[in-house]
Amino acid sequence: MRLFGTNGVRGIVNRDVTADLALRLAMSLGTLTKGTVAVGQDTRTSGSMLSCAAIAGLLATGCKVIDVGIAPTPAVQYFVRDNADAGIVITASHNPREYNGLKLIAADGTEFGSEEELAVEDIYYRDAPKLADWRETGELTHVDILPAYIKGVMQNVSASDIAKRGFIVAVDTGSGAGSVVTPFLLSKLNCKVTTINAQIDGTFPSRNPEPTEDVLTDLGKIVVSNGADLGVAHDGDADRAVFIDENGNFVNEDVLLAIVVKHVLSKKRGPVVTPVSSSQRIEDVAEAAGSHVVWTPVGSIHVARVMMQVNAVIGGEGNGGIIFPEHQYCRDGAMTVAKVLEIMTERDRKLSELVNEIPKRYMDKTKVTCRDRDAAMQHIQSSVHGNVDTTDGVKIWYDDGWLLIRPSGTEPIIRIFVEAETEMRAHELLELGINMTKGC
Ligand code: MG
């Protein structure tokens, strides 16, 4: 039995994710870590409940705990890297309102990998936390980590050049943890800021925490009516940032990643890292700049760890989660906002003009239900030929596109992703993928 899914421990509050689970998980981590652990949370209603339980568990095993309160996940990671031996972030990221979870952070600020998770799980399931002697239970302090984090972001962009532009920016932090950082960061960058949904509220009254195009129509209207240069929105824990151009149009996340990759490679050479599900447009811009892409399994921890191994200059996912290695090895929404402003400043282009520089490609996806995912994937793998990549699922490269078939980690379904140079070809590839999974 696994406690951790693809994104830490997550589920519905007081059904799957309870105070008892947080307490015992924190005791298990504390038994393993024996040091200083930072605990932060996003804005969910159950944040205090789970945070208090996790803090109690850590203190019981003798850890020193630094409660950093409500903060974006990347702000906690930034703090852990320099100040703690581990971290716990109480967050369910982009999941709906009723969810919450615990994300564990390693001493270097990256998310826990599966080996570290297994070590914690082992203690958890054996019910073997080692409680401290009464003289040695831990002590609790509180630290405001946000000023140092905002400063850290500003140090990694040309802040004074951005400030001279006086950008007009509309921000929708979705009542999530980005509310305590991004509006203030933008003000420090001399932007004229308009916010919506920037009041902290764990009921997420205006929109779900996932910043999809369909829930950002208000933001698009505000961008246009205010004559803003751009709009930006975060997910619940602000490790992701998505953008609206000056005309009110949503910017595809893969295109945004391609814009950032192109900009970074114009300044320095080196590998680019992204999961196999990302757009070929990342490769288009990397190869045009004389660089190359290293493809990883899906999941930001894989991207971060491979970036470290190959000394990548930039990496990220096609969902608005971008990793800037000079800053830290994790997705960082505030850093992405600052970097996009830097690109617009240095290139002297509007956001829509930067979008238009990226090659056109068409992506599509679907899912099919499947009883035995492993057997189905084995069958598909043995029946395909040609340029096949099995980094994560089965990805088949064609001259004019690709097809990726991969099993879900948590549900009895198989996902099919395609991308091609024309919409018609993308549709053909999707049909081909559906046919390949027939009878599963
Ligand atoms: Mg997130």
Side-chain angles (χ1 to χ4, degrees):
M1 175 139 170
R2 292 291 320 264
L3 190 60
F4 291 89
T6 35
N7 283 296
V9 178
R10 259 190 225 169
I12 292 176
V13 170
N14 277 349
R15 190 192 78 182
D16 316 313
V17 176
T18 61
D20 181 54
L21 180 149
L23 176 79
R24 291 200 294 137
L25 183 71
M27 281 180 178
S28 305
L29 174 68
T31 301
L32 199 68
T33 301
K34 298 254 179 275
T36 302
V37 183
V39 179
Q41 62 182 90
D42 67 17
T43 61
R44 288 168 192 272
T45 51
S46 54
S48 295
M49 171 186 97
L50 295 172
S51 171
C52 288
I55 289 170
L58 292 164
L59 296 173
T61 52
C63 289
K64 280 187 181 169
V65 178
I66 303 173
D67 179 2
V68 303
I70 291 176
T73 297
V76 181
Q77 294 181 272
Y78 189 77
F79 179 76
V80 167
R81 187 189 64 183
D82 298 332
N83 302 283
D85 301 298
I88 299 179
V89 188
I90 310 296
T91 177
S93 189
H94 61 275
N95 283 146
R97 301 164 172 87
E98 63 271 27
Y99 282 74
N100 210 341
L102 296 96
K103 187 190 274 278
L104 305 191
I105 309 299
D108 64 1
T110 64
E111 296 162 56
F112 261 38
S114 55
E115 274 177 33
E116 296 133 316
E117 286 177 349
L118 283 169
V120 174
E121 268 181 7
D122 179 56
I123 299 171
Y124 182 94
Y125 283 121
R126 283 195 295 111
D127 199 17
K130 273 187 87 172
L131 301 185
D133 177 83
W134 67 272
R135 296 172 196 83
E136 285 161 3
T137 54
E139 55 187 73
L140 174 64
T141 53
H142 300 264
V143 172
D144 178 3
I145 62 170
L146 302 177
Y149 170 64
I150 291 173
K151 198 171 158 197
V153 169
M154 291 181 65
Q155 279 168 352
N156 282 300
V157 290
S158 316
S160 57
D161 292 338
I162 295 170
K164 282 183 203 135
R165 289 287 303 266
F167 285 110
I168 303 173
V169 185
V171 186
D172 177 352
T173 47
S175 302
S179 308
V180 299
V181 164
T182 299
F184 303 98
L185 168 68
L186 289 167
S187 293
K188 281 189 178 293
L189 291 169
N190 192 35
C191 296
K192 193 174 167 214
V193 186
T194 306
T195 59
I196 55 168
N197 307 323
Q199 79 288 6
I200 288 169
D201 189 336
T203 66
F204 301 100
S206 296
R207 67 166 175 88
N208 242 342
E210 179 149 39
T212 48
E213 182 174 0
D214 56 310
V215 301
L216 299 179
T217 47
D218 285 348
L219 180 63
K221 283 179 196 156
I222 289 167
V223 167
V224 174
S225 64
N226 281 13
D229 296 289
L230 75 165
V232 59
H234 293 301
D235 69 331
D237 67 333
D239 55 353
R240 287 161 52 182
V242 302
F243 293 84
I244 304 280
D245 75 14
E246 75 282 3
N247 302 315
N249 297 318
F250 185 81
V251 178
N252 174 287
E253 296 96 328
D254 278 282
V255 171
L256 199 274
L257 177 58
I259 289 170
V260 173
V261 167
K262 182 177 173 175
H263 175 72
V264 169
L265 291 176
S266 73
K267 298 183 161 195
K268 53 190 170 190
R269 282 278 180 88
V272 177
V273 179
T274 197
V276 289
S277 54
S278 293
S279 172
Q280 199 173 342
R281 284 175 282 213
I282 315 304
E283 189 170 64
D284 293 336
V285 296
E287 288 185 347
S291 188
H292 70 282
V293 172
V294 181
W295 302 98
T296 71
V298 174
S300 61
I301 181 60
H302 298 296
V303 178
R305 298 267 159 107
V306 172
M307 283 179 72
M308 288 172 158
Q309 284 161 19
V310 303
N311 202 17
V313 292
I314 185 75
E317 302 173 307
N319 63 4
I322 304 184
I323 301 172
F324 300 89
E326 67 278 18
H327 176 52
Q328 59 174 345
Y329 283 97
C330 69
R331 296 177 296 194
D332 194 317
M335 184 68 209
T336 305
V337 175
K339 191 56 90 170
V340 167
L341 292 176
E342 179 185 86
I343 297 169
M344 290 171 68
T345 301
E346 290 189 7
R347 295 283 320 282
D348 196 18
R349 295 276 190 283
K350 293 177 176 169
L351 187 50
S352 68
E353 293 170 339
L354 294 168
V355 168
N356 287 332
E357 290 177 359
I358 303 302
K360 292 264 179 301
R361 289 188 182 271
Y362 297 85
M363 296 180 94
D364 206 348
K365 64 182 173 186
T366 189
K367 56 188 177 187
V368 293
T369 53
C370 174
R371 282 184 300 273
D372 188 343
R373 284 167 294 176
D374 292 342
M377 290 311 298
Q378 264 179 15
H379 170 72
I380 291 163
Q381 200 169 331
S382 63
S383 63
V384 295
H385 306 284
N387 190 355
V388 178
D389 178 343
T390 55
T391 302
D392 188 349
V394 176
K395 186 175 185 178
I396 310 148
W397 287 92
Y398 301 94
D399 288 342
D400 55 356
W402 53 265
L403 159 65
L404 169 67
I405 302 175
R406 57 184 294 272
S408 159
T410 49
E411 299 166 88
I413 56 173
I414 283 182
R415 298 183 196 280
I416 303 169
F417 304 80
V418 299
E419 185 174 39
E421 288 170 12
T422 65
E423 209 168 350
M424 204 165 94
R425 178 64 174 150
H427 185 71
E428 269 177 33
L429 289 176
L430 201 64
E431 288 295 315
L432 183 64
I434 292 167
N435 277 332
M436 289 169 78
T437 56
K438 279 244 161 81
C440 291

